[in-house]
Amino acid sequence: MAQPSARGWRIAQHLAVPALAVAVVALLPLAKTGATQTQDQWTPLTPAKVSFATKTGPTTTAQLLGFNDFHGNIDPPTGSGGLINGIPAGGSEYLSTYLTKLRDDAKKAGVKYSDTVVAGDNIGASPLVSAAFHDEPAIEVLNAMGVDLASVGNHEFDEGVTELYRMQFGGCHPTDGCQDGDGFAGAKFPYLAANVTQKSNGLPILLPFTIRFYDGVPVAFVGMTLEGTPGIVNPAGIKNVDFHDEVETANKYATILNWLGIKSMVLVIHEGGAQSSPPAPLDPSGCANFAGPITDITKGLNPAYGVVVSGHTHRFYSCELPNSSGQNSLVTSAGTAGTLISDIRVTLDKKTRKFVDASATNVIVENGVKNADGTYQKDAAGNPVRNPALVDPKVKKIADKYRVAVAPLANKVIGSITADITTTQVASGETPLGDVIADAQLAYTKASAGAQIAFMNPGGIRSSLTYANSPGGEAPGQVTYGEAFTVQPFNNLVVTQSFTGAQIKDVLEQQFVGFQGQTVQRFLQVSAGFTYTYSASAPVGSKVSDIKLNGVALDPAASYKVTTNDFLANGGDGFLNLAKGTGRVTAPGFDVDALTAYLGTGPIAPGPADRYTKIA
């Protein structure tokens, strides 16, 4: 573990470098020559390249390597989450190899500067190999990869602001200590949190921006999470902070930075969008039928933000989206779990200190062994064979330390399944795995708390259960604790509360945008015996009907015992009505314990995904 004096010096560096950079920039002479913006020809089916201004002086170039939503994926993700258009991808030691390769390629092409930028969710919702050690492994491998800066994402707040400070500055966990025996020094890179401020004084909880110099040209990186973070993290850990509008915050800092002489800015933001078919499959570097919150955010940005590195949606894209000037900014996202890297190249005018152009290509972090026919080798269970030639040994050494430490727990067989149990939604929004998890929580609390109904939030289900996956060499169909934890990695508590039938109706209505403050449509997964019908086209507040429990219509005045995780019970995901229950009873252990206990009664079949019905 780093000594306090060493850690303090690193903290001082994080704080001093931007301040010093601003002071230097303020003294630089400002160019007085204007420039006319032009646009290259581009379609949503080709990698994006934006031209911002006609150069007026000599130029310099830089590379930005962007990714997002790493989520502690030390190992390559399994199932469809580990495939990019059929190519096996991801894993920390492979991601590091590709980052090094892309830096070397840029250097050979004459690009002197390269910075690696992450748009949030480095930690949280992580597989057991990282989560068991409070995501210290994730930070340590990102340090080894050479990450230069990161924005906070919503999952950086999963364990509260105090734990986020520990991720930045280091130190042993206050409860579990230094589990790996060699301490934890924290992130070597600065986390940026421009739009998260202390309630007590209005100041950002961490640095709002940092500045890099490319041949003397300053480029500011402003980092933030989505304004809606409070609705998707446990409220208990963020009581003392405020989350602010993304556009207002970005433009406030743009004004300050511009006044100080900085003309080129990159927004690193944990919010995004998504492509939609056609075509199919989607191009990782495309922007087909694009939509999402990042579109409106970009539309409001000061045009000095020529590049936007985004995330949160776990989708890949490379887009040209209009900013507040009507001209385009370059907007990228690299999917999730370290499966892709956005290779961004920018040209800067050394006289005006403005972006001249920017382009991006999403590069697949391939980890498989390719056959002569272009397919990829698989083992006897159908899992991809990993390519040892693509492993970064320095990152593998860190990863192996934690793999060995967690293996006895991770590889313990806790149950079995009859087939793949997936997170794929049917037309109503229900999923087979959602059914299983709701059933597990009902079974976990039925005898002890008298539970009659269980609800599960879809965002808390992070991975499918794959029949053939055998991380510990177990037989197909057997499920390990590590696999179960990957499905439910949050260590939420399981709570049971009493609600009237009328309150349950309001809970279901709050699945839809516009009802009592709900801003995002989310379908709760429900336990066996609970059914209802909904019409998405019906008026807000009147969309849900025919609510029954075990075939009997719900009595609006009667009381029912409902089980959820404590995230929902505290009003998470906008379900404020789930915070109105009474007589709260907390079950022992965590939500993953409910799932493992249920899988232990197996083999468990996929849920039927027919418990609620969409009629229009």
Side-chain angles (χ1 to χ4, degrees):
M1 176 178 166
Q3 295 300 313
S5 58
R7 188 161 68 247
W9 170 242
R10 191 160 77 324
I11 295 169
Q13 287 179 307
H14 283 171
L15 295 172
V17 169
L20 178 60
V22 169
V24 171
V25 171
L27 298 175
L28 292 174
L30 299 183
K32 301 184 182 299
T33 306
T36 303
Q37 293 186 324
T38 60
Q39 288 296 123
D40 288 345
Q41 292 298 312
W42 175 77
T43 74
L45 302 183
T46 60
K49 181 177 181 180
V50 181
S51 294
F52 301 104
T54 303
K55 65 178 182 178
T56 62
T59 60
T60 189
T61 57
Q63 176 190 57
L64 309 179
L65 296 176
F67 62 98
N68 50 276
D69 297 273
F70 180 62
H71 288 295
N73 274 270
I74 305 298
D75 298 323
T78 60
S80 60
L83 298 173
I84 301 295
N85 294 346
I87 299 172
S92 58
E93 56 258 75
Y94 305 97
L95 175 60
S96 186
T97 293
Y98 271 80
L99 288 169
T100 299
K101 179 182 183 301
L102 291 171
R103 292 175 191 129
D104 290 344
D105 289 347
K107 188 174 182 180
K108 290 174 184 176
V111 180
K112 294 192 296 183
Y113 303 95
S114 181
D115 281 305
T116 300
V117 179
V118 190
D121 280 8
N122 286 325
I123 58 175
S126 304
L128 187 63
V129 67
S130 186
F133 304 96
H134 298 282
D135 274 320
E136 293 171 18
I139 297 297
E140 290 181 6
V141 297
L142 292 170
N143 285 342
M145 291 176 199
V147 169
D148 292 290
L149 61 99
S151 71
V152 293
N154 55 286
H155 283 286
E156 264 74 21
F157 295 92
D158 281 347
E159 295 189 41
V161 175
T162 300
E163 178 66 358
L164 172 57
Y165 286 149
R166 193 178 75 88
M167 292 290 101
Q168 176 70 91
F169 301 122
C172 296
H173 190 270
T175 302
D176 295 330
C178 290
Q179 295 168 278
D180 64 353
D182 62 5
F184 177 61
K188 294 180 180 178
F189 53 88
Y191 263 117
L192 306 178
N195 68 331
V196 189
T197 60
Q198 298 281 2
K199 288 182 183 292
S200 61
N201 56 26
L203 296 176
I205 62 168
L206 291 165
L207 290 177
F209 65 87
T210 189
I211 301 169
R212 314 294 284 187
F213 285 88
Y214 306 130
D215 265 352
V217 179
V219 176
F221 292 79
V222 178
M224 64 183 68
T225 186
L226 69 156
E227 183 185 8
T229 292
I232 51 176
V233 302
N234 199 317
I238 57 170
K239 292 184 292 187
N240 297 322
V241 298
D242 291 316
F243 294 80
H244 301 281
D245 181 86
E246 303 95 336
V247 174
E248 290 179 5
T249 303
N251 288 344
K252 176 182 73 174
Y253 281 102
T255 299
I256 295 169
L257 291 162
N258 179 69
W259 179 73
L260 293 168
I262 300 176
K263 304 298 183 181
S264 297
M265 303 169 202
V266 177
L267 182 62
V268 187
I269 181 170
H270 191 69
E271 181 60 291
Q275 301 187 69
S276 298
S277 297
L282 291 166
D283 181 354
S285 297
C287 191
N289 302 304
F290 187 82
I294 198 64
T295 300
D296 284 339
I297 290 172
T298 305
K299 190 181 297 182
L301 289 180
N302 185 305
Y305 289 105
V307 178
V308 178
V309 181
S310 68
H312 186 54
T313 58
H314 291 198
R315 305 298 181 90
F316 49 68
Y317 47 84
S318 175
C319 295
E320 298 183 16
L321 300 179
N323 55 48
S324 64
S325 73
Q327 302 299 312
N328 287 338
S329 293
L330 179 71
V331 181
T332 69
S333 175
T336 182
T339 54
L340 289 156
I341 301 166
S342 297
D343 186 356
I344 304 165
R345 307 292 178 94
V346 298
T347 304
L348 295 138
D349 190 315
K350 296 170 72 172
K351 183 178 180 182
T352 64
R353 288 184 258 127
K354 293 182 178 181
F355 286 122
V356 174
D357 57 52
S359 62
T361 302
N362 280 335
V363 178
I364 299 174
V365 179
E366 183 178 336
N367 62 32
V369 178
K370 188 178 288 189
N371 296 313
D373 62 358
T375 60
Y376 288 83
Q377 293 182 21
K378 296 181 179 181
D379 61 20
N383 301 308
V385 174
R386 309 301 179 186
N387 189 343
L390 297 175
V391 168
D392 183 332
K394 71 177 183 297
V395 172
K396 184 178 186 298
K397 182 178 179 180
I398 299 169
D400 282 349
K401 176 183 72 171
Y402 291 106
R403 288 166 179 152
V404 169
V406 82
L409 175 61
N411 294 334
K412 181 182 178 181
V413 174
I414 50 84
S416 60
I417 56 178
T418 64
D420 291 351
I421 306 181
T422 72
T423 58
T424 302
Q425 290 188 353
V426 299
S428 67
E430 195 172 350
T431 72
L433 186 52
D435 287 357
V436 167
I437 291 173
D439 290 348
Q441 294 189 358
L442 180 62
Y444 196 63
T445 54
K446 191 170 186 177
S448 60
Q452 300 164 278
I453 303 164
F455 295 141
M456 177 62 193
N457 56 306
I461 306 172
R462 307 303 295 189
S463 178
S464 298
L465 286 171
T466 305
Y467 183 83
N469 191 37
S470 301
E474 70 278 3
Q478 291 186 321
V479 180
T480 65
Y481 182 82
E483 290 177 281
F485 191 90
T486 299
V487 171
Q488 286 190 276
F490 294 107
N491 276 340
N492 287 318
L493 301 174
V494 181
V495 300
T496 305
Q497 304 177 93
S498 293
F499 294 86
T500 66
Q503 286 177 311
I504 292 173
K505 167 75 156 53
D506 283 347
V507 167
L508 298 177
E509 293 289 357
Q510 207 161 32
Q511 296 177 117
F512 301 94
V513 174
F515 185 76
Q516 296 184 3
Q518 182 61 274
T519 58
V520 180
Q521 180 172 289
R522 298 181 176 93
F523 288 106
L524 293 168
Q525 307 300 292
V526 305
S527 55
F530 185 82
T531 60
Y532 68 90
T533 298
Y534 75 87
S535 170
S537 60
V540 171
S542 302
K543 295 180 183 291
V544 178
S545 61
D546 196 27
I547 308 171
K548 295 179 179 179
L549 178 60
N550 299 321
V552 179
L554 223 61
D555 181 348
S559 180
Y560 300 88
K561 296 290 185 70
V562 179
T563 293
T564 67
N565 57 44
D566 66 328
F567 167 74
L568 281 174
N570 291 336
D573 274 351
F575 286 100
L576 302 179
N577 285 306
L578 283 172
K580 297 178 179 179
T582 59
R584 181 182 295 204
V585 176
T586 302
F590 300 107
D591 51 0
V592 69
D593 298 316
L595 179 60
T596 58
Y598 189 67
L599 291 171
T601 68
I604 301 298
D610 63 357
R611 295 170 182 175
Y612 48 90
T613 305
K614 179 180 179 181
I615 57 174

